[in-house]
Amino acid sequence: MQISYLGGDPDPDSKPDCHGGCCPTPLLSMPDPRPHPSSSRPPRSEFSLCRRNFVAATASSIFPNSQFTNHESLPPLPQSFHEFLQVYPQYSDTHIVDRLRETKYSHLSQSGHTCLDYIGVGLFSHSQLPDHGPDEVQSQTASSSMFSPSPSRVPNLDFPFFSLSYKTGSLKTQLLLGGGTADGRANLETSMRKRIMEFLHISESEYAMVFTANRTSAFKLLAEAYPFQTSRKLLTVYDYESEAVDAMINSSEKRGAKVMSAEFSWPRLGINSEKLRRMIVRKKDKKKREKRGLFVFPVHSRVSGTRYPYIWMNLAQENGWHVLLDACALGPKDMDSFGLSLIRPDFIVCSFYKIFGENPSGFGCLFVKKSAVPILETSLCMGTMGLVPVGRVLLPLVETGDTSNSFSEQEEAASGELDCTGLDHVDILPMTVITNRGRYLINWLVKALLKLEHPSTEGVRLVRIYGPKVRFDRGPALAFNVFDWKGEKVEPVLVQKLADRSGISISYGFLHHLSFSEKYGEQKAGVTERRTSTGTMVGSKGKERVKGVKVVTLALGFLTDFEDVYRLWAFVSQFLDADFVEKESWRYTALNRETVVV
């Protein structure tokens, strides 16, 4: 179902004072390092007022004085969207993203499937796939929008563009070689490396880069090369269980590292600052020349959406830590505001998938500051990858001014560039458009979910959200659980499976390293459960049992629209039916066993 803006912008007299558009990006919790004309940047007091107004408008204007106790009582999609625009009129300024989604990622709407299960950036657009009919190709070529292919930007009709192959040799050797190869893959890898570093604003003169199979491979590869014999500590900042972090912990412990983790205060899941500071700050009797170890920092949680000030990285550097920035959960434009000129991490990990909503497979990237390469150990381990052209690849030639023959078919050598239109599309979008769009959608969804209430239970909410709720600077991710009318948690795995049957992709995770103050001490036993840690060192006596909370998780991408979040809300509201879980569980089991057809 397609929805459109109803009647243009709402009456300006009905707008709250500020809806986020006048405020800087909140990613860093520090001033935007880029220069701003004094006339375009309001004083800091206005920033605070803007944020307060945003929270107040969200809290008071989304379904005011309403609670929904029946999924059939939800307002229909067009009405909800109209009311959404009344609260966030500046969402209309992001229509450029809707046009982009319609013309280059049409599969997101045509498939009827809502993708809310991964975050990040895709390399290519769906319009580059080879299965378009003549009419669609013709209509795209004839279009005069900014997303139309120009003579030098015709869609690449080969798929899957490239494949991956393992490289031999140590990480240190690959970095010293610049990550290149001596065979025909070199130009392809060099072009892709150059394009990604340009996209992330990472200087080729300051950082070296290698491709990895995924985020987990990048973390493990660094753990196997980092000098834990001399810099013995590994300190991580994750409020959720992560396969990549667990792989790093396993490898690091085998090599003698002392592993530590930040703790997160219940229920908002903010960093327990006092404890983290004690772990970071060097004791006075320690020699300043000794590096303390590796500090791994994600900037924000890809599960709960909690953002962390990057001042923690600065504090770690001042106290002799090497810093790894995990940029995998950053939004498409977040690196624009990150300010590498202020904080230069020793290592950066990010990942790219191929096509959003179509083929999330891709690769990971590990960046190492060239000044940090000498400290790495020469470990012989598999992990770095090469990009291998697939068959005949249609590639743009180097521009010579002659557009009569802009393309050439290459056999295996791949001596040109892959056309990464996914990155191109993000590049042309203003940062405020992407940031504000995600901010409006995630906060609306938070408020809408909290409006679902079981009937005849004296205000018992259907959904409990973990981490920040309505907040100006929250990330585009959400952790929550669904509870039945008796107050019993619906298993997150079941919620995920039922959502998938409804055409909605979400995930589930495990929150851990939780810190309960005395005020919330009584809640600890009721909300946490024990499970086996996957980060326990192999060969140890029994696996560690850790406490945490299993949760349903979702993430919004820059192409997410209002219909996506509305569909998720409507799906969750079905759990208000006391028999919904039982009926759907039976149907799901029956379908898996293929005993009935529904």
Side-chain angles (χ1 to χ4, degrees):
M1 176 179 180
Q2 295 293 317
I3 56 178
S4 59
Y5 302 106
L6 305 177
D9 284 345
D11 182 358
D13 293 335
S14 67
K15 299 179 184 178
D17 292 339
C18 174
H19 297 273
C22 65
C23 300
T25 176
L27 174 65
L28 309 179
S29 297
M30 291 180 65
D32 191 332
R34 297 169 302 164
H36 289 261
S38 58
S39 61
S40 65
R41 185 169 185 173
R44 179 167 297 277
S45 60
E46 292 188 27
F47 294 163
S48 300
L49 178 61
C50 173
R51 297 180 185 213
R52 288 197 300 269
N53 287 344
F54 175 85
V55 173
T58 300
S60 63
S61 302
I62 295 177
F63 305 124
N65 305 316
S66 298
Q67 296 293 337
F68 302 101
T69 59
N70 187 312
H71 69 277
E72 295 180 349
S73 67
L74 267 58
L77 173 60
Q79 178 185 338
S80 296
F81 184 56
H82 179 70
E83 294 175 356
F84 171 81
L85 290 179
Q86 296 284 340
V87 182
Y88 304 122
Q90 288 179 323
Y91 183 84
S92 300
D93 297 338
T94 72
H95 64 86
I96 185 176
V97 180
D98 295 300
R99 180 61 186 277
L100 172 64
R101 173 173 167 145
E102 179 185 355
T103 58
K104 296 302 181 184
Y105 302 88
S106 58
H107 65 297
L108 295 176
S109 299
Q110 294 173 357
S111 66
H113 196 93
T114 295
C115 180
L116 301 174
D117 60 341
Y118 53 95
I119 194 169
V121 183
L123 296 169
F124 311 108
S125 68
H126 185 264
S127 62
Q128 291 181 275
L129 292 178
D131 57 353
H132 293 303
D135 293 340
E136 184 173 355
V137 173
Q138 182 177 0
S139 65
Q140 290 181 358
T141 305
S143 174
S144 59
S145 75
M146 69 173 64
F147 305 122
S148 301
S150 64
S152 61
R153 286 288 186 191
V154 178
N156 183 344
L157 300 181
D158 201 4
F159 181 76
F161 307 105
F162 61 85
S163 59
L164 299 176
S165 66
Y166 280 99
K167 290 184 177 181
T168 57
S170 70
L171 170 63
K172 186 172 184 178
T173 301
Q174 294 294 333
L175 291 168
L176 291 173
L177 291 174
T181 60
D183 58 22
R185 303 176 307 190
N187 290 333
L188 172 61
E189 292 181 18
T190 299
S191 296
M192 183 66 81
R193 184 180 298 108
K194 181 180 178 71
R195 181 66 185 94
I196 288 175
M197 296 184 81
E198 176 187 62
F199 176 77
L200 295 174
H201 306 295
I202 295 177
S203 170
E204 291 186 77
S205 63
E206 191 172 9
Y207 286 87
M209 170 194 162
V210 294
F211 295 103
T212 65
N214 47 42
R215 174 174 177 249
T216 299
S217 296
F219 271 62
K220 185 176 181 181
L221 195 63
L222 180 58
E224 292 173 344
Y226 186 79
F228 284 112
Q229 287 78 6
T230 55
S231 303
R232 300 187 64 85
K233 295 182 178 180
L234 173 66
L235 176 54
T236 63
V237 185
Y238 291 86
D239 63 3
Y240 63 95
E241 190 173 79
S242 162
E243 179 183 355
V245 177
D246 288 341
M248 171 171 273
I249 289 174
N250 271 325
S251 296
S252 302
E253 285 183 330
K254 292 177 186 177
R255 304 184 60 242
K258 178 183 177 181
V259 177
M260 304 180 294
S261 174
E263 293 185 359
F264 302 88
S265 301
W266 184 265
R268 296 291 184 178
L269 301 186
I271 292 175
N272 188 320
S273 299
E274 182 180 348
K275 290 185 178 181
L276 182 56
R277 181 176 292 274
R278 285 203 304 265
M279 288 188 282
I280 290 178
V281 174
R282 186 197 308 271
K283 295 181 179 179
K284 294 182 180 179
D285 59 345
K286 296 291 184 180
K287 295 181 180 179
K288 291 187 176 181
R289 290 178 297 177
E290 296 178 356
K291 287 293 183 182
R292 305 203 68 199
L294 184 61
F295 178 63
V296 186
F297 191 75
V299 179
H300 90 251
S301 169
R302 63 192 297 166
V303 170
S304 68
T306 310
R307 290 197 186 270
Y308 315 122
Y310 77 35
I311 196 68
W312 288 112
M313 288 188 285
N314 187 53
L315 182 65
Q317 288 179 331
E318 291 175 351
N319 284 272
W321 294 80
H322 289 110
V323 172
L324 164 60
L325 168 65
D326 179 0
C328 295
L330 296 184
K333 283 284 190 176
D334 283 346
M335 284 298 280
D336 286 11
S337 64
F338 178 70
L340 287 175
S341 60
L342 298 180
I343 299 291
R344 290 184 170 89
D346 301 279
F347 313 100
I348 302 173
V349 172
C350 66
S351 59
F352 293 87
Y353 43 78
K354 288 182 179 176
I355 299 175
F356 181 83
E358 173 75 24
N359 185 358
S361 63
F363 52 71
C365 301
L366 172 60
F367 300 90
V368 179
K369 201 173 182 181
K370 290 184 177 179
S371 60
V373 173
I375 72 165
L376 299 179
E377 298 178 354
T378 306
S379 57
L380 297 177
C381 58
M382 298 284 284
T384 59
M385 307 295 294
L387 304 187
V388 181
V390 179
R392 297 167 64 86
V393 185
L394 191 65
L395 300 170
L397 296 174
V398 177
E399 188 172 341
T400 61
D402 179 11
T403 60
S404 60
N405 185 20
S406 301
F407 288 81
S408 173
E409 289 187 347
Q410 307 286 339
E411 292 283 355
E412 297 298 332
S415 58
E417 294 185 14
L418 283 175
D419 196 6
C420 299
T421 61
L423 303 186
D424 295 339
H425 293 153
V426 173
D427 275 340
I428 65 175
L429 294 174
M431 182 175 65
T432 54
V433 167
I434 294 177
T435 302
N436 288 338
R437 184 181 177 95
R439 176 179 299 132
Y440 303 144
L441 292 173
I442 193 67
N443 280 285
W444 180 90
L445 180 59
V446 167
K447 191 64 177 178
L449 288 172
L450 294 178
K451 288 289 185 176
L452 302 176
E453 188 175 292
H454 284 290
S456 305
T457 54
E458 299 183 356
V460 176
R461 286 176 173 170
L462 174 69
V463 172
R464 296 180 193 172
I465 292 175
Y466 308 98
K469 295 183 174 61
V470 173
R471 187 166 177 172
F472 180 88
D473 60 351
R474 75 174 338 280
L478 187 64
F480 67 97
N481 274 321
V482 176
F483 291 81
D484 65 20
W485 65 275
K486 295 179 291 186
E488 296 179 0
K489 183 169 72 175
V490 181
E491 191 64 28
V493 177
L494 176 60
V495 176
Q496 186 262 338
K497 297 293 185 184
L498 295 178
D500 188 65
R501 283 193 55 211
S502 297
I504 302 172
S505 294
I506 54 178
S507 302
Y508 54 89
F510 187 72
L511 297 173
H512 63 170
H513 300 310
L514 305 177
S515 173
F516 291 80
S517 66
E518 190 173 315
K519 178 181 178 181
Y520 298 102
E522 295 182 358
Q523 295 185 16
K524 184 174 183 178
V527 300
T528 60
E529 58 189 281
R530 288 188 176 273
R531 64 176 290 174
T532 301
S533 171
T534 57
T536 305
M537 181 176 174
V538 176
S540 61
K541 295 181 180 180
K543 291 188 175 182
E544 179 188 6
R545 301 287 290 180
V546 297
K547 283 189 173 182
V549 181
K550 286 193 291 187
V551 295
V552 181
T553 70
L554 60 87
L556 309 187
F558 81 101
L559 291 169
T560 301
D561 63 10
F562 182 79
E563 183 173 353
D564 291 333
V565 296
Y566 178 90
R567 287 192 66 203
L568 187 279
W569 183 49
F571 161 73
V572 173
S573 73
Q574 294 181 84
F575 288 88
L576 291 170
D577 180 352
D579 297 324
F580 176 72
V581 173
E582 182 178 354
K583 290 186 295 187
E584 292 301 308
S585 297
W586 180 86
R587 292 175 64 195
Y588 177 74
T589 302
L591 281 171
N592 279 348
R593 294 177 178 175
E594 298 181 351
T595 57
V596 297
V597 177
V598 179

